[in-house]
Amino acid sequence: MTVKTLDSSPGPTAVGAVPAATPGTAHGAAPEVIPPSGSLQPSPARWRALARRAAAQLGSAILLLWAVATIVFFLQHMVPGDPALAILGGASANPPQETVQAVREQYGFDQPILVQYVAFLGGLLHLDIGESYTMKESVLAVIGEQIVPTLQLTGTSLLIAWVIALALTLASAGRSGLVGRIGSAIEVVFAALPHFWLGVVLLVVFAVVLQWLPVVDGGPLGLVLPSLTLGIPLGGFLAQVTRDEFDAALREPFVLSARSRGATLHDVRWRHVLRHAALPGIALSGWGLGSLISGAVVVEVIFSRQGIGQVLVSAVTAQDLPLVVGVTFVVALVYVVANLLTDLAYVAVDPRLRTSIGRAS
């Protein structure tokens, strides 16, 4: 009866039953739950299937990066103002008309827009984004100096978000009464907090009033408040998604099956149910990282941190097209890589995807 229940149960039931099964038992032998361990070993067919999957993702990533670069290029050319004047210090510098015309010819601003676009795409193909109009420095060099603090901030924020989500889920999901209601209320409040408001409150309370943390500091302590500012709202959102899936998984037959085999409720929640609950959050982590990078623009301004957020704001204000395109391109690339890693993590957590890849081959 147990094998039949696991085979007929959809999605999460099959996944949750896998850890409890042991080789040689009826559960482990169920062909619809998970194939024999030997079929999960790397094989030429499976490698080909994985290569096709990776090639499809790479093609989608290239199309996305091209679309982002194209949109940014044409939007920047729609912004009122003359980029040649921005290069020469702005209209307040009052440069001679001959100098303005010379700059236009030097950078190709006098060419038709489509000619500029083709030249722009040619530079991207050679990984030559150009030189910043305002900083007179290679765009890649400028981004290389600023990307590390932003990645540190977003990576730490994502870790904090997952710690919050898992802590709230394990502490209150599936529990009736006051504990469950308090956990649900905390998730809603955290998810609704705007970054700019939360950042200012944390700065005033912990840096100005209590003086526990520095206002501006490039060291590890200076990373705490900005990371909390970004991580708390995302943690509340992930906790809401994880809680819903956790509650649904607790009603699945595999929970009763595991308890009947002597597993404690603590074991079931940690080893079986949590795997199901984490899947939607893992799928959303790629999007979450993208939202963290966009939120970093606000947080870096509030906490006066180095990063590509501040660089992007300054570049847009100064109509520095190469720098705007470069920062946007790198952010899109980080988003693509994050989604690829999310997909790999999803496959690692859910054995059904590994099985489907093998069968597709």
Side-chain angles (χ1 to χ4, degrees), residues 60 73 86 95 108 118 123 148 150 195 212 236 249 254 266 337 341 352:
S60 300
F73 176 86
V118 171
V148 174
T150 299
H195 292 142
W212 289 354
F254 75 85
H266 180 272
V337 173
L341 295 177
R352 291 171 302 173

Side-chain angles (χ1 to χ4, degrees), residues 12-13 16 242-256 268-269 272-278:
T13 303
T242 306
R243 164 191 287 273
D244 290 342
E245 192 68 17
F246 199 99
D247 289 338
L250 283 173
R251 296 189 292 269
E252 294 290 343
F254 75 85
V255 174
L256 181 61
V268 170
R269 291 172 67 92
H272 303 310
V273 179
L274 188 59
R275 290 181 67 181
H276 300 284

